[in-house]
Amino acid sequence: MDAEDACADIDECMTDNGGCGDALYWACTNTDGSNSCADIDECATNNGDCGENAQCSNQEGEAALCTCKPGFL
């Protein structure tokens, strides 16, 4: 067995969300030898819990922003 066969990838995402930030807002994906981070679009699911009379706006790395549609307060 050579040295390359003895080495295994480390899943950086298992510790502190891979340094991506808060796991509520950032998705960590383990890749061979490193990791990648992507913003989670909260608006993609259930209108970001904004309600049917509100518009959801994704905020990178933060909670979604809910704004009332015209004619609603």
Side-chain angles (χ1 to χ4, degrees), residues 19-62:
C20 292
D22 191 327
L24 289 173
Y25 310 118
W26 292 99
C28 180
T29 303
N30 186 52
T31 57
D32 195 24
S34 65
N35 68 300
S36 64
C37 304
D39 177 62
I40 296 172
D41 183 356
E42 296 82 16
C43 298
T45 305
N46 196 31
N47 195 33
D49 293 326
C50 288
E52 67 180 79
N53 298 319
Q55 174 68 40
C56 182
S57 298
N58 184 53
Q59 306 294 302
E60 188 171 302
E62 301 178 20

Side-chain angles (χ1 to χ4, degrees), residues 8-26:
D9 179 53
I10 297 170
D11 186 350
E12 294 85 2
C13 297
M14 297 299 294
T15 304
D16 194 30
N17 199 33
C20 292
D22 191 327
L24 289 173
Y25 310 118
W26 292 99

